[in-house]
Amino acid sequence: MRTPSDLLDLVGQELGASEPQVVTQEQVDRFADVTGDHQWIHVDVERARSGPFGTTIVHGFLTLALVPRLLADILEVESYSMGVNYGLDRVRFIKPLPPGVEIQGTATLVSAEPIAAAADSAGGVQAKASVAVEFADGSQPCCVAEILFRYYA
């Protein structure tokens, strides 16, 4: 789509799927370093083998952090001055995601509303998409989230 206002015509539509990608153990370890969450189920590969999941698992919030990236792969607006992640309405971590497993995002545009221009900012559109982070084999989602975002003209 060309401009943020084009989003207004897509409400209720499935937007498609992202390219598959893999979260690596190295990414999990770096996320643990940034957040200070070094829980053994995420970073101790040896101990996790005998744990409840049989492997380490990706932090739920790392999976959630991928949602804007997956959505950008699905929804491309060509002409805008600024894009902003505005928030989340609902998030669920459905099933643990082991590192090394392919995932992809699928999205539906739930809502879109114009943002009026103000003295200090351009107008634009605020939208909400329901994004499912799914195992690429199609078995089920590992995370679902409703993300709010804004594109300014």
Side-chain angles (χ1 to χ4, degrees):
M1 86 191 56
R2 186 153 155 29
T3 67
S5 62
D6 292 339
L7 288 167
L8 300 172
D9 296 327
L10 296 177
V11 173
Q13 293 187 29
E14 291 185 23
L15 302 174
S18 71
E19 292 295 319
Q21 62 181 279
V22 173
V23 179
T24 66
Q25 185 63 51
E26 179 183 353
Q27 289 170 304
V28 170
D29 295 342
R30 289 191 323 230
F31 188 84
D33 289 342
V34 168
T35 62
D37 182 354
H38 291 93
Q39 172 66 253
W40 64 270
I41 61 173
H42 303 302
V43 298
D44 190 333
V45 174
E46 292 304 314
R47 183 175 177 189
R49 284 192 182 120
S50 61
F53 308 109
T55 183
T56 55
I57 59 171
V58 176
H59 299 77
F61 284 105
L62 173 52
T63 306
L64 181 60
L66 296 173
V67 168
R69 178 177 166 191
L70 295 168
L71 183 59
D73 195 26
I74 298 165
L75 179 67
E76 189 174 334
V77 178
E78 296 172 8
S79 177
Y80 61 96
S81 65
M82 179 175 61
V84 177
N85 292 317
Y86 190 66
L88 298 159
D89 274 353
R90 182 178 183 276
V91 177
R92 296 291 181 270
F93 301 114
I94 309 297
K95 184 175 180 182
L97 170 63
V101 175
E102 275 195 338
I103 57 168
Q104 66 182 30
T106 59
T108 299
L109 193 64
V110 175
S111 66
E113 301 172 356
I115 301 169
D120 61 345
S121 68
V125 172
Q126 177 173 304
K128 180 190 331 186
S130 176
V131 179
V133 181
E134 301 174 335
F135 294 96
D137 67 6
S139 61
Q140 68 186 85
C142 56
C143 174
V144 293
E146 289 182 347
I147 184 170
L148 297 154
F149 53 96
R150 290 180 167 187
Y151 282 107
Y152 292 93

